[in-house]
Amino acid sequence: MPEPPASNRSSGPPDMTAIGMIGLGLMGAAMAERVMAAGRHVVGYDPDAARCEALREAGASVAKSAQAVAEQCRAIVIAVYSAAEVETTLPHLTAAADGSASVVLCTTTCGPDDILRIAACATASGVGFVEMPVSGTSAEVRVGTASCLLAGDETTLSSVRDIIDILFPRSVVVGQVGDASRTKLAINLILQGNRAALAEGIVLAERMGLNGHAFLCAARASAAYSSVMDTKGEKMLEQDYRPQSRIFQTLKDAELIFQQAAQHDLPLPLMTAQAALLRRAILLCGADSDSAAVIEAIRQPANAGDIR
C-alpha cells in the first residue's frame, strides 16, 4: 500500500489546537470539512493515499500515521469502519508531543460490548474517551443537519464540547459509555425500516401509474412523513446511488442489531425482511452504492414470487 503524503505544514512545534481526524472516508472527510470551515486546522490520516491527498488539497495537514496525528493533536476524531479498526488504532494515540493527555471521540458504530472494551483500553492508556456515533449521512454531516449521540465522563465531554458543537450542532447526551451505541442501534432499526418502507411505497406508486415525484411530494405532506423522504426519496426516484452512506455499512449495522436482539431473545421480523432487501440490493448495485439502492431489491425482486 503506498504511503500517504506527508504533512503539508512546515516543521516546528505542533499546533496542539489542531483537530485530529483518523479515517477519511465519506464521514471522516465530511467532518474534516466542517472543522476547516469553522477555521480550525485538521491533521488527518488514512491508509488510503488518495483520501489523504484529497484532504491535503482541501487545506489540511496529513500525517504519516495515526501516532503522528496524536503527537500533533490533543483531540482526535476516529471515523473508521469497525470496532476492530478502532482497537487497532487506539494503542497509537497515547503520546502527544507536549505530554498532554489525548481525548478520542469515536464515531464508529459499534456493539455495546465492543465500545465498553474500547473505552477500557483508552482509559488504561491514559486517553480520554467520548462515545459519539453519528445519526445521519455524510451529506447531512457536511451541512450540519446530522446529529450525534454522546456518552462518557462529564469532564471529558466538557473538554471537547467546542469540537462537538462544530461537528454536530445537534447532539444528545444519552448516558454512560455503551448507551450511545445501544441508542444508535435502536435508532438505526427504525431508520432502516423507514427507508425500506419508503422504497416499497415509491415502487407501488410507480406500478399504479403515479408520477413518482408527485407521489413523494404528497407523502412528505402526509402523516407518513419521515426525514428519509428528504434524504433518500429523490435518490431513489432518480436511481442515483452515488454514496452518501454505503449500503454495505448499512448491512453491517443491521448485523450488529441482530446480535443485540439475539442476546435479549428478541425476534425482529421487520428487520429480518429489511436485511434481506439490503443483501439483494448489494448483489444488484454493489456494496459501495448508497443505501437508497435498497429500492432496487423491490424493483427487481429475486423471483416473481416475491411480488404478491
Side-chain angles (χ1 to χ4, degrees), residues 134-150:
V134 180
S135 184
T137 68
S138 60
E140 291 172 289
V141 169
R142 190 168 282 109
V143 299
T145 57
S147 62
C148 73
L149 305 164
L150 297 169

Side-chain angles (χ1 to χ4, degrees), residues 152-160:
D153 174 79
E154 185 176 341
T155 301
T156 305
L157 280 169
S158 296
S159 73
V160 289

Side-chain angles (χ1 to χ4, degrees), residues 84-101:
E85 290 184 31
V86 178
E87 292 184 272
T88 299
T89 301
L90 267 181
H92 303 289
L93 307 183
T94 60
D98 67 351
S100 62

Side-chain angles (χ1 to χ4, degrees), residues 204-245:
L204 177 61
E206 290 174 336
R207 295 289 174 89
M208 293 191 299
L210 296 174
N211 176 277
H213 295 280
F215 167 73
L216 181 60
C217 182
R220 282 174 171 157
S222 77
Y225 173 78
S226 74
S227 63
V228 167
M229 294 178 183
D230 299 329
T231 59
K232 301 300 181 183
E234 293 293 338
K235 290 179 74 66
M236 289 178 178
L237 289 170
E238 298 297 332
Q239 296 182 285
D240 174 9
Y241 304 135
R242 292 171 296 177
Q244 297 174 345
S245 55

Side-chain angles (χ1 to χ4, degrees), residues 46-281:
D46 192 292
D48 186 316
R51 293 176 177 178
C52 289
E53 180 61 21
L55 185 70
R56 186 192 64 78
E57 291 178 355
S61 295
V62 174
K64 293 183 177 180
S65 65
Q67 181 174 343
V69 173
E71 289 171 354
Q72 299 178 62
C73 307
R74 291 192 185 96
I76 304 158
V77 179
I78 297 181
V80 297
Y81 172 67
S82 66
E85 290 184 31
V86 178
E87 292 184 272
T88 299
T89 301
L90 267 181
H92 303 289
L93 307 183
T94 60
D98 67 351
S100 62
S102 298
V103 176
V104 167
L105 300 92
C106 181
T107 69
T108 301
T109 301
C110 303
D113 293 340
D114 294 329
I115 207 71
L116 288 170
R117 187 174 61 250
I118 289 165
C121 178
T123 299
S125 301
V127 175
F129 187 81
V130 172
E131 186 184 11
M132 192 176 72
V134 180
S135 184
T137 68
S138 60
E140 291 172 289
V141 169
R142 190 168 282 109
V143 299
T145 57
S147 62
C148 73
L149 305 164
L150 297 169
D153 174 79
E154 185 176 341
T155 301
T156 305
L157 280 169
S158 296
S159 73
V160 289
R161 173 50 75 175
D162 60 325
I163 299 168
I164 295 168
D165 289 344
I166 289 170
L167 291 171
F168 301 103
R170 300 166 57 192
S171 63
V172 182
V173 178
V174 296
Q176 299 302 308
V177 170
D179 289 340
S181 291
R182 295 182 185 98
T183 305
K184 172 68 186 295
L185 293 177
I187 287 173
N188 273 13
L189 185 153
I190 299 169
L191 177 63
Q192 291 192 24
N194 285 349
R195 192 182 298 131
L198 173 63
E200 199 164 56
I202 287 175
V203 174
L204 177 61
E206 290 174 336
R207 295 289 174 89
M208 293 191 299
L210 296 174
N211 176 277
H213 295 280
F215 167 73
L216 181 60
C217 182
R220 282 174 171 157
S222 77
Y225 173 78
S226 74
S227 63
V228 167
M229 294 178 183
D230 299 329
T231 59
K232 301 300 181 183
E234 293 293 338
K235 290 179 74 66
M236 289 178 178
L237 289 170
E238 298 297 332
Q239 296 182 285
D240 174 9
Y241 304 135
R242 292 171 296 177
Q244 297 174 345
S245 55
R246 291 189 169 91
I247 198 166
F248 76 87
Q249 291 179 302
T250 304
L251 182 59
K252 180 211 77 169
D253 291 356
E255 297 296 346
L256 291 175
I257 291 167
F258 286 129
Q259 289 172 18
Q260 290 302 303
Q263 287 182 24
H264 296 282
D265 194 26
L266 176 67
L268 298 175
L270 296 180
M271 191 69 192
T272 299
Q274 195 276 142
L277 292 174
L278 291 176
R279 296 185 186 98
R280 172 68 178 161

